[in-house]
Protein backbone atom coordinates (compact mmCIF):
# COMPACT_ATOMS: atom_id res chain seq x y z
CA UNK A 1 0.00 0.00 0.00
CA UNK A 2 1.52 3.37 -0.98
CA UNK A 3 2.44 5.72 1.86
CA UNK A 4 0.67 9.05 1.82
CA UNK A 5 -1.27 11.30 4.14
CA UNK A 6 -5.05 11.00 4.39
CA UNK A 7 -7.83 13.28 5.61
CA UNK A 8 -7.20 11.88 9.11
CA UNK A 9 -3.77 13.52 9.21
CA UNK A 10 -4.80 17.13 8.54
CA UNK A 11 -6.60 19.85 10.44
CA UNK A 12 -9.34 20.89 8.01
CA UNK A 13 -11.51 23.44 9.78
CA UNK A 14 -11.48 26.90 8.12
CA UNK A 15 -8.89 25.69 5.60
CA UNK A 16 -9.20 26.32 1.88
CA UNK A 17 -8.91 22.80 0.44
CA UNK A 18 -8.37 22.21 -3.26
CA UNK A 19 -9.79 18.77 -3.95
CA UNK A 20 -9.07 17.13 -7.32
CA UNK A 21 -11.80 14.62 -8.14
CA UNK A 22 -12.64 12.64 -11.28
CA UNK A 23 -16.12 13.73 -12.36
CA UNK A 24 -15.46 12.65 -15.96
CA UNK A 25 -18.79 11.10 -16.98
CA UNK A 26 -20.42 9.74 -20.11
CA UNK A 27 -22.24 12.52 -21.97
CA UNK A 28 -24.95 12.28 -24.64
CA UNK A 29 -23.25 13.68 -27.76
CA UNK A 30 -26.49 15.32 -28.97
CA UNK A 31 -28.08 16.75 -25.84
CA UNK A 32 -24.79 17.18 -23.93
CA UNK A 33 -26.50 15.79 -20.85
CA UNK A 34 -24.59 13.67 -18.34
CA UNK A 35 -25.74 10.05 -18.69
CA UNK A 36 -24.34 8.57 -15.49
CA UNK A 37 -23.55 10.26 -12.17
CA UNK A 38 -21.71 7.37 -10.47
CA UNK A 39 -18.42 9.22 -10.12
CA UNK A 40 -20.03 12.48 -8.93
CA UNK A 41 -21.93 10.51 -6.31
CA UNK A 42 -18.84 8.58 -5.20
CA UNK A 43 -16.70 11.69 -4.57
CA UNK A 44 -19.66 13.71 -3.30
CA UNK A 45 -20.86 11.22 -0.71
CA UNK A 46 -17.40 10.55 0.67
CA UNK A 47 -14.54 13.06 0.41
CA UNK A 48 -16.45 16.23 -0.49
CA UNK A 49 -19.09 15.60 2.19
CA UNK A 50 -16.45 14.89 4.82
CA UNK A 51 -14.41 18.00 3.95
CA UNK A 52 -17.49 20.18 4.11
CA UNK A 53 -18.70 18.62 7.38
CA UNK A 54 -15.27 19.18 8.93
CA UNK A 55 -15.56 22.90 8.16
CA UNK A 56 -13.18 23.15 5.20
CA UNK A 57 -13.79 25.65 2.41
CA UNK A 58 -13.98 23.17 -0.42
CA UNK A 59 -12.76 24.05 -3.92
CA UNK A 60 -13.47 21.25 -6.38
CA UNK A 61 -11.20 20.72 -9.39
CA UNK A 62 -12.15 18.24 -12.10
CA UNK A 63 -12.00 17.57 -15.83
CA UNK A 64 -14.69 16.45 -18.27
CA UNK A 65 -13.90 14.99 -21.68
CA UNK A 66 -11.07 15.99 -23.95
CA UNK A 67 -10.87 19.29 -25.87
CA UNK A 68 -12.41 18.91 -29.32
CA UNK A 69 -14.47 15.85 -28.38
CA UNK A 70 -18.28 15.83 -27.92
CA UNK A 71 -18.03 15.14 -24.18
CA UNK A 72 -15.88 18.21 -23.52
CA UNK A 73 -18.42 20.30 -21.61
CA UNK A 74 -18.34 22.77 -18.68
CA UNK A 75 -18.82 21.51 -15.12
CA UNK A 76 -22.10 23.33 -14.47
CA UNK A 77 -24.18 20.14 -14.69
CA UNK A 78 -21.72 18.35 -12.43
CA UNK A 79 -22.09 21.08 -9.80
CA UNK A 80 -25.89 20.82 -10.04
CA UNK A 81 -25.73 17.04 -9.67
CA UNK A 82 -23.42 17.40 -6.67
CA UNK A 83 -25.85 19.85 -5.07
CA UNK A 84 -28.68 17.36 -5.54
CA UNK A 85 -26.61 14.45 -4.20
CA UNK A 86 -25.44 16.35 -1.12
CA UNK A 87 -28.72 18.14 -0.48
CA UNK A 88 -26.87 21.39 0.17
CA UNK A 89 -25.88 24.39 -1.98
CA UNK A 90 -22.91 23.99 -4.30
CA UNK A 91 -21.49 27.08 -6.00
CA UNK A 92 -20.11 27.03 -9.51
CA UNK A 93 -18.05 29.54 -11.50
CA UNK A 94 -17.29 29.26 -15.20
CA UNK A 95 -13.69 30.17 -14.54
CA UNK A 96 -10.66 28.16 -13.45
CA UNK A 97 -8.09 30.58 -12.01
CA UNK A 98 -9.06 34.04 -13.30
CA UNK A 99 -10.47 36.85 -11.22
CA UNK A 100 -13.94 35.31 -11.04
CA UNK A 101 -12.61 32.04 -9.67
CA UNK A 102 -10.22 33.74 -7.27
CA UNK A 103 -12.94 36.01 -5.87
CA UNK A 104 -15.29 33.05 -5.44
CA UNK A 105 -12.60 31.16 -3.49
CA UNK A 106 -11.91 34.16 -1.26
CA UNK A 107 -15.64 34.53 -0.53
CA UNK A 108 -16.05 30.92 0.67
CA UNK A 109 -17.16 30.33 4.26
CA UNK A 110 -16.48 27.24 6.37
CA UNK A 111 -18.25 24.17 4.97
CA UNK A 112 -19.12 25.78 1.63
CA UNK A 113 -18.40 24.05 -1.66
CA UNK A 114 -17.33 25.63 -4.94
CA UNK A 115 -16.86 23.83 -8.26
CA UNK A 116 -14.41 25.53 -10.65
CA UNK A 117 -14.43 25.19 -14.43
CA UNK A 118 -13.26 22.09 -16.32
CA UNK A 119 -9.47 21.95 -15.78
CA UNK A 120 -9.01 21.01 -19.43
CA UNK A 121 -10.24 24.43 -20.55
CA UNK A 122 -6.73 25.44 -19.55
CA UNK A 123 -4.50 24.33 -22.45
CA UNK A 124 -1.44 23.72 -20.30
CA UNK A 125 -3.35 21.31 -18.01
CA UNK A 126 -2.57 18.28 -20.13
CA UNK A 127 1.13 19.06 -20.38
CA UNK A 128 3.57 17.99 -17.71
CA UNK A 129 3.73 21.47 -16.26
CA UNK A 130 3.44 21.56 -12.51
CA UNK A 131 4.73 25.11 -12.01
CA UNK A 132 2.12 26.59 -14.32
CA UNK A 133 0.31 29.87 -13.76
CA UNK A 134 -2.88 27.94 -13.03
CA UNK A 135 -1.23 25.91 -10.26
CA UNK A 136 0.63 28.86 -8.76
CA UNK A 137 -2.37 31.17 -8.63
CA UNK A 138 -4.70 28.62 -7.03
CA UNK A 139 -2.04 27.33 -4.60
CA UNK A 140 -1.57 30.91 -3.37
CA UNK A 141 -5.20 30.96 -2.18
CA UNK A 142 -5.28 27.46 -0.71
CA UNK A 143 -4.01 25.73 2.44
CA UNK A 144 -4.29 22.07 1.48
CA UNK A 145 -4.44 19.90 -1.66
CA UNK A 146 -6.42 16.66 -1.65
CA UNK A 147 -6.18 14.26 -4.56
CA UNK A 148 -9.22 12.00 -4.72
CA UNK A 149 -8.98 11.32 -8.46
CA UNK A 150 -7.59 7.79 -8.58
CA UNK A 151 -9.31 7.36 -11.96
CA UNK A 152 -7.18 10.19 -13.40
CA UNK A 153 -3.99 9.43 -11.43
CA UNK A 154 -2.35 7.94 -14.54
CA UNK A 155 -2.26 11.42 -16.10
CA UNK A 156 0.71 13.70 -15.33
CA UNK A 157 -1.54 16.71 -15.64
CA UNK A 158 -0.99 19.98 -13.81
CA UNK A 159 -4.04 19.57 -11.55
CA UNK A 160 -2.95 16.02 -10.63
CA UNK A 161 0.78 16.45 -10.00
CA UNK A 162 1.27 20.23 -9.75
CA UNK A 163 -0.07 21.13 -6.30
CA UNK A 164 1.69 18.46 -4.24
CA UNK A 165 4.99 20.36 -4.42
CA UNK A 166 3.42 23.57 -3.14
CA UNK A 167 0.82 22.55 -0.54
CA UNK A 168 0.43 20.00 2.26
CA UNK A 169 -1.21 17.16 0.33
CA UNK A 170 -3.31 14.13 1.17
CA UNK A 171 -5.29 11.39 -0.53
CA UNK A 172 -9.08 11.65 -0.45
CA UNK A 173 -11.30 8.77 0.62
CA UNK A 174 -11.93 7.43 -2.91
CA UNK A 175 -8.19 7.46 -3.68
CA UNK A 176 -7.57 5.68 -0.38
CA UNK A 177 -10.32 3.12 -0.95
CA UNK A 178 -9.23 2.31 -4.51
CA UNK A 179 -5.60 1.81 -3.53
CA UNK A 180 -6.53 -0.30 -0.53
CA UNK A 181 -8.70 -2.63 -2.64
CA UNK A 182 -6.08 -2.87 -5.38
CA UNK A 183 -3.28 -3.50 -2.94
CA UNK A 184 -5.32 -6.32 -1.45
CA UNK A 185 -5.28 -8.19 -4.77
CA UNK A 186 -1.92 -7.08 -6.11
CA UNK A 187 0.26 -7.20 -2.99
CA UNK A 188 -0.99 -10.18 -1.02
CA UNK A 189 -3.90 -11.87 -2.78
CA UNK A 190 -5.48 -14.82 -1.05
CA UNK A 191 -4.88 -17.87 -3.25
CA UNK A 192 -6.00 -19.14 -5.65
CA UNK A 193 -6.23 -15.80 -7.42
CA UNK A 194 -8.02 -15.62 -10.77
CA UNK A 195 -7.90 -12.75 -13.26
CA UNK A 196 -10.68 -12.55 -15.86
CA UNK A 197 -9.71 -10.40 -18.83
CA UNK A 198 -12.26 -9.55 -21.50
CA UNK A 199 -13.76 -6.49 -23.13
CA UNK A 200 -13.76 -4.97 -26.57
CA UNK A 201 -10.11 -3.89 -26.55
CA UNK A 202 -7.21 -6.26 -26.28
CA UNK A 203 -4.14 -4.05 -26.41
CA UNK A 204 -3.28 -4.17 -22.68
CA UNK A 205 -4.11 -7.83 -22.09
CA UNK A 206 -0.59 -9.17 -22.64
CA UNK A 207 1.02 -6.64 -20.29
CA UNK A 208 -1.51 -7.32 -17.53
CA UNK A 209 -1.28 -11.12 -17.87
CA UNK A 210 2.51 -10.95 -17.90
CA UNK A 211 2.66 -8.72 -14.83
CA UNK A 212 0.27 -10.77 -12.74
CA UNK A 213 1.83 -14.13 -13.69
CA UNK A 214 5.47 -13.07 -13.42
CA UNK A 215 4.89 -11.47 -10.04
CA UNK A 216 3.07 -14.47 -8.57
CA UNK A 217 -0.18 -12.51 -8.25
CA UNK A 218 -2.51 -14.58 -10.45
CA UNK A 219 -2.67 -18.36 -10.45
CA UNK A 220 -4.89 -18.41 -13.51
CA UNK A 221 -5.84 -15.91 -16.20
CA UNK A 222 -9.18 -16.53 -17.92
CA UNK A 223 -9.54 -14.84 -21.29
CA UNK A 224 -12.76 -13.79 -23.02
CA UNK A 225 -14.02 -10.99 -25.24
CA UNK A 226 -11.48 -9.66 -27.70
CA UNK A 227 -8.67 -10.70 -25.36
CA UNK A 228 -9.91 -14.28 -25.68
CA UNK A 229 -9.91 -13.95 -29.46
CA UNK A 230 -6.36 -12.62 -29.50
CA UNK A 231 -5.05 -15.33 -27.16
CA UNK A 232 -6.76 -17.99 -29.28
CA UNK A 233 -5.02 -16.63 -32.36
CA UNK A 234 -1.72 -16.82 -30.45
CA UNK A 235 -2.31 -20.58 -30.04
CA UNK A 236 -2.56 -20.89 -33.83
CA UNK A 237 -6.34 -20.70 -34.31
CA UNK A 238 -7.78 -18.89 -37.34
CA UNK A 239 -11.02 -17.25 -36.17
CA UNK A 240 -12.35 -16.43 -39.63
CA UNK A 241 -12.50 -13.22 -41.62
CA UNK A 242 -14.75 -10.85 -39.58
CA UNK A 243 -13.02 -11.73 -36.33
CA UNK A 244 -9.47 -11.56 -37.68
CA UNK A 245 -10.28 -8.23 -39.31
CA UNK A 246 -11.39 -6.77 -35.98
CA UNK A 247 -8.11 -7.76 -34.36
CA UNK A 248 -6.20 -6.37 -37.34
CA UNK A 249 -8.09 -3.09 -37.02
CA UNK A 250 -7.01 -2.80 -33.40
CA UNK A 251 -3.44 -3.53 -34.46
CA UNK A 252 -3.04 -6.20 -31.78
CA UNK A 253 -2.00 -9.19 -33.88
CA UNK A 254 1.62 -8.13 -33.35
CA UNK A 255 1.20 -9.22 -29.72
CA UNK A 256 0.62 -12.89 -30.55
CA UNK A 257 4.34 -13.81 -30.39
CA UNK A 258 4.62 -12.42 -26.83
CA UNK A 259 1.35 -14.10 -25.82
CA UNK A 260 2.52 -17.48 -27.10
CA UNK A 261 5.79 -17.10 -25.20
CA UNK A 262 3.91 -16.23 -22.02
CA UNK A 263 1.54 -19.17 -22.42
CA UNK A 264 4.48 -21.53 -22.97
CA UNK A 265 6.23 -20.19 -19.86
CA UNK A 266 3.14 -20.74 -17.69
CA UNK A 267 1.57 -23.91 -19.08
CA UNK A 268 -2.10 -24.37 -18.20
CA UNK A 269 -2.26 -21.06 -16.33
CA UNK A 270 -3.71 -18.94 -19.16
CA UNK A 271 -7.09 -20.24 -20.29
CA UNK A 272 -8.48 -19.59 -23.74
CA UNK A 273 -12.07 -20.33 -24.82
CA UNK A 274 -12.81 -23.95 -25.80
CA UNK A 275 -15.92 -22.87 -27.62
CA UNK A 276 -17.49 -19.64 -28.82
CA UNK A 277 -20.90 -18.24 -29.73
CA UNK A 278 -21.35 -16.64 -33.14
CA UNK A 279 -24.21 -14.66 -34.61
CA UNK A 280 -25.49 -16.69 -37.55
CA UNK A 281 -28.56 -15.31 -39.35
CA UNK A 282 -29.45 -13.21 -36.31
CA UNK A 283 -29.26 -16.14 -33.87
CA UNK A 284 -26.75 -17.44 -31.30
CA UNK A 285 -24.94 -20.53 -32.51
CA UNK A 286 -22.16 -22.23 -30.55
CA UNK A 287 -19.05 -23.65 -32.21
CA UNK A 288 -16.15 -25.54 -30.68
CA UNK A 289 -12.74 -24.07 -31.35
CA UNK A 290 -12.05 -27.09 -33.61
CA UNK A 291 -14.88 -25.91 -35.89
CA UNK A 292 -13.22 -22.52 -36.53
CA UNK A 293 -12.65 -20.50 -38.74
CA UNK A 294 -16.11 -19.06 -39.11
CA UNK A 295 -17.61 -16.54 -41.48
CA UNK A 296 -19.76 -15.21 -38.61
CA UNK A 297 -18.78 -12.71 -35.92
CA UNK A 298 -17.93 -14.19 -32.51
CA UNK A 299 -19.85 -12.40 -29.76
CA UNK A 300 -19.50 -14.62 -26.69
CA UNK A 301 -17.74 -17.55 -25.07
CA UNK A 302 -19.53 -20.91 -25.39
CA UNK A 303 -21.17 -23.14 -22.77
CA UNK A 304 -18.18 -25.47 -22.22
CA UNK A 305 -15.93 -22.46 -21.60
CA UNK A 306 -18.48 -20.91 -19.25
CA UNK A 307 -18.54 -24.16 -17.25
CA UNK A 308 -14.75 -24.40 -17.02
CA UNK A 309 -14.32 -20.74 -16.07
CA UNK A 310 -17.16 -20.90 -13.52
CA UNK A 311 -15.46 -23.86 -11.78
CA UNK A 312 -12.19 -21.93 -11.51
CA UNK A 313 -14.05 -18.87 -10.21
CA UNK A 314 -15.78 -21.02 -7.58
CA UNK A 315 -12.44 -22.33 -6.30
CA UNK A 316 -10.83 -18.87 -6.20
CA UNK A 317 -10.21 -16.81 -3.06
CA UNK A 318 -9.36 -13.60 -4.96
CA UNK A 319 -10.92 -12.53 -8.27
CA UNK A 320 -10.26 -9.57 -10.53
CA UNK A 321 -12.56 -9.00 -13.50
CA UNK A 322 -11.76 -6.39 -16.12
CA UNK A 323 -13.83 -6.49 -19.29
CA UNK A 324 -16.92 -8.63 -20.00
CA UNK A 325 -16.36 -11.94 -21.84
CA UNK A 326 -19.01 -11.23 -24.48
CA UNK A 327 -21.12 -8.60 -26.20
CA UNK A 328 -23.67 -8.60 -23.37
CA UNK A 329 -25.52 -5.61 -24.84
CA UNK A 330 -27.01 -8.12 -27.33
CA UNK A 331 -29.45 -10.29 -25.32
CA UNK A 332 -28.51 -13.53 -27.14
CA UNK A 333 -24.87 -12.99 -26.21
CA UNK A 334 -25.28 -12.06 -22.59
CA UNK A 335 -24.98 -15.64 -21.37
CA UNK A 336 -21.18 -15.70 -20.84
CA UNK A 337 -21.12 -12.34 -19.04
CA UNK A 338 -24.18 -13.22 -16.93
CA UNK A 339 -22.94 -16.67 -15.89
CA UNK A 340 -19.39 -15.56 -15.05
CA UNK A 341 -20.51 -12.46 -13.17
CA UNK A 342 -23.04 -14.54 -11.24
CA UNK A 343 -20.28 -17.00 -10.37
CA UNK A 344 -18.13 -14.08 -9.14
CA UNK A 345 -21.05 -12.66 -7.14
CA UNK A 346 -21.81 -16.05 -5.54
CA UNK A 347 -18.21 -16.66 -4.57
CA UNK A 348 -16.89 -16.05 -1.06
CA UNK A 349 -13.70 -14.65 -2.59
CA UNK A 350 -12.61 -11.03 -2.45
CA UNK A 351 -13.75 -9.79 -5.86
CA UNK A 352 -12.68 -6.62 -7.59
CA UNK A 353 -14.31 -5.39 -10.81
CA UNK A 354 -13.39 -2.44 -12.98
CA UNK A 355 -13.82 -0.77 -16.34
CA UNK A 356 -16.91 1.02 -17.68
CA UNK A 357 -18.44 -1.95 -19.54
CA UNK A 358 -17.88 -4.44 -16.72
CA UNK A 359 -19.44 -2.09 -14.19
CA UNK A 360 -22.39 -1.40 -16.52
CA UNK A 361 -22.95 -5.17 -16.93
CA UNK A 362 -22.80 -5.70 -13.16
CA UNK A 363 -25.39 -2.97 -12.68
CA UNK A 364 -27.60 -4.30 -15.46
CA UNK A 365 -27.58 -7.71 -13.78
CA UNK A 366 -28.27 -6.20 -10.34
CA UNK A 367 -25.10 -7.70 -8.85
CA UNK A 368 -23.40 -4.54 -7.53
CA UNK A 369 -24.00 -5.36 -3.86
CA UNK A 370 -22.44 -8.81 -4.24
CA UNK A 371 -19.08 -7.75 -5.68
CA UNK A 372 -16.56 -6.89 -2.93
CA UNK A 373 -15.16 -3.82 -4.66
CA UNK A 374 -16.15 -1.97 -7.82
CA UNK A 375 -13.52 0.47 -9.04
CA UNK A 376 -14.53 3.87 -10.43
CA UNK A 377 -11.48 3.81 -12.70
CA UNK A 378 -10.90 2.76 -16.30
CA UNK A 379 -7.47 3.60 -17.73
CA UNK A 380 -5.87 4.17 -14.34
CA UNK A 381 -6.97 0.72 -13.18
CA UNK A 382 -5.53 -0.91 -16.30
CA UNK A 383 -2.20 0.84 -15.78
CA UNK A 384 -2.16 -0.19 -12.13
CA UNK A 385 -2.86 -3.81 -13.09
CA UNK A 386 0.07 -3.63 -15.52
CA UNK A 387 2.33 -2.69 -12.62
CA UNK A 388 2.76 0.94 -13.70
CA UNK A 389 3.45 3.61 -11.13
CA UNK A 390 0.69 6.23 -11.34
CA UNK A 391 2.03 9.82 -11.36
CA UNK A 392 -0.81 11.10 -9.15
CA UNK A 393 -0.06 8.49 -6.48
CA UNK A 394 3.70 9.01 -6.77
CA UNK A 395 3.18 12.77 -6.24
CA UNK A 396 1.21 12.12 -3.04
CA UNK A 397 3.92 9.76 -1.79
CA UNK A 398 6.63 12.33 -2.54
CA UNK A 399 4.64 14.99 -0.67
CA UNK A 400 4.28 12.68 2.37
CA UNK A 401 7.99 11.83 2.45
CA UNK A 402 8.91 15.53 2.23
CA UNK A 403 6.66 16.21 5.20
CA UNK A 404 8.36 13.50 7.26
CA UNK A 405 11.88 14.65 6.30
C1 LIG B 1 -11.14 8.32 -17.23
O1 LIG B 1 -12.34 8.53 -17.43
O2 LIG B 1 -10.60 7.21 -17.41
C2 LIG B 1 -10.32 9.44 -16.62
O3 LIG B 1 -11.14 10.49 -16.26
C3 LIG B 1 -9.22 9.89 -17.54
O4 LIG B 1 -9.75 10.46 -18.70
P1 LIG B 1 -8.81 10.64 -19.99
O5 LIG B 1 -8.56 9.27 -20.55
O6 LIG B 1 -9.55 11.54 -20.94
O7 LIG B 1 -7.52 11.27 -19.52
Amino acid sequence: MPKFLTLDDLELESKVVLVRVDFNSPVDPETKKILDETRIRAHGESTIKELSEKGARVVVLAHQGRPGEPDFIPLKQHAEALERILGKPVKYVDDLYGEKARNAIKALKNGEILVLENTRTYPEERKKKSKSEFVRSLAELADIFVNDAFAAAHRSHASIVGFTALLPSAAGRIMERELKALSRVLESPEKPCVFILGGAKADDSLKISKYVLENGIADTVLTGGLTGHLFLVATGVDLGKPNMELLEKQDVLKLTGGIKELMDSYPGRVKVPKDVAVEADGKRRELSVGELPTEYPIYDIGTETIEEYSRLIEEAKSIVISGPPGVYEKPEFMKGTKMLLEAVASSEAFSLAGGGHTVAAIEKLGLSERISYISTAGGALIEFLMGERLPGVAALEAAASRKQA
Side-chain angles (χ1 to χ4, degrees), residues 214-233:
E214 282 180 352
N215 289 282
I217 297 163
D219 297 287
T220 316
V221 175
L222 312 179
T223 66
L226 227 63
T227 298
H229 297 191
L230 181 63
F231 278 56
L232 268 175
V233 173

Side-chain angles (χ1 to χ4, degrees), residues 323-395:
V327 184
Y328 71 88
E329 295 88 342
K330 290 174 176 270
E332 300 240 34
F333 299 93
M334 189 164 198
K335 183 174 171 181
T337 303
K338 183 172 186 294
M339 304 288 278
L340 294 198
L341 282 175
E342 278 175 356
V344 175
S346 306
S347 140
E348 297 279 295
F350 177 77
S351 52
L352 184 145
H357 291 281
T358 317
V359 176
I362 290 170
E363 273 166 15
K364 190 166 175 174
L365 292 162
L367 299 173
S368 308
E369 298 301 313
R370 295 167 58 205
I371 306 291
S372 317
Y373 188 76
I374 298 179
S375 175
T376 59
L381 174 69
I382 298 290
E383 292 206 13
F384 205 88
L385 295 178
M386 293 189 313
E388 303 284 343
R389 200 168 147 76
L390 307 186
V393 178

Side-chain angles (χ1 to χ4, degrees), residues 20 22-25 39 63-66 69 71 120 126 151-155 157 376-380:
R20 177 53 159 105
D22 190 338
F23 276 174
N24 195 23
S25 306
R39 283 180 170 177
H63 74 278
Q64 169 62 57
R66 298 176 185 174
E69 293 189 12
D71 61 348
R120 291 186 181 172
R126 295 173 74 201
H154 57 315
R155 304 290 182 217
H157 293 174
T376 59

